[in-house]
Amino acid sequence: FPLIVTSPWWHFIMAALVLRIKFPVTYPLIYKTLRVDANFTVAEAVRCIAETVNVTTLLTGTEGLYVPDENQWLDDNTPLSNYTSLQDAEHIEFKDRKAVDPKPSSSDAGGSDGGDCGCVLF
């Protein structure tokens, strides 16, 4: 049987992103690696990440995604697929836009994400 493709091939290129996400020190985890739908807006991704790692009760409503390698906050209304640099980022940060960053200490340098969670957000 021939393969019938009804969508252009490039539609499938960035269906999901595998992101290593760093969480604030007040959260019950440090890092988590998740597969997130690249068509989600940043705001949708924040909500789904919070639901997946069960931290929705900690949300203040001003959380966002930050790329420390680029010193850049991602725009809430922009799809993740518009940020091509996310594929190569060492990690991104899930944090409150209004929070003051604590000074890093030597104890923050380590940390473990416990491996890939295998979660899929769609």
Side-chain angles (χ1 to χ4, degrees):
F1 294 88
L3 176 64
I4 300 173
V5 178
T6 58
S7 297
W9 64 270
W10 61 87
H11 176 75
F12 300 104
I13 289 177
M14 209 164 164
L17 288 168
V18 176
L19 302 172
R20 180 173 162 102
I21 304 162
K22 180 180 179 184
F23 292 90
V25 295
T26 56
Y27 278 50
L29 68 164
I30 299 171
Y31 283 97
K32 197 69 172 170
T33 302
L34 297 173
R35 193 166 66 175
V36 181
D37 187 328
N39 296 311
F40 281 170
T41 63
V42 171
E44 291 170 328
V46 164
R47 184 71 185 167
C48 287
I49 291 165
E51 289 174 3
T52 299
V53 299
N54 199 23
V55 295
T56 55
T57 59
L58 300 175
L59 296 179
T60 63
T62 56
E63 288 79 14
L65 298 178
Y66 179 76
V67 183
D69 292 343
E70 299 175 8
N71 196 27
Q72 175 188 18
W73 282 98
L74 304 185
D75 178 67
D76 284 341
N77 300 313
T78 302
L80 294 175
S81 59
N82 285 19
Y83 297 103
T84 55
S85 64
L86 290 178
Q87 297 175 59
D88 300 321
E90 181 180 329
H91 72 272
I92 63 171
E93 296 182 10
F94 180 103
K95 63 183 189 175
D96 188 334
R97 291 177 186 270
K98 296 181 179 180
V100 177
D101 285 333
K103 293 184 181 191
S105 68
S106 59
S107 63
D108 291 339
S112 170
D113 67 352
D116 292 341
C117 76
C119 296
V120 178
L121 303 176
F122 290 111

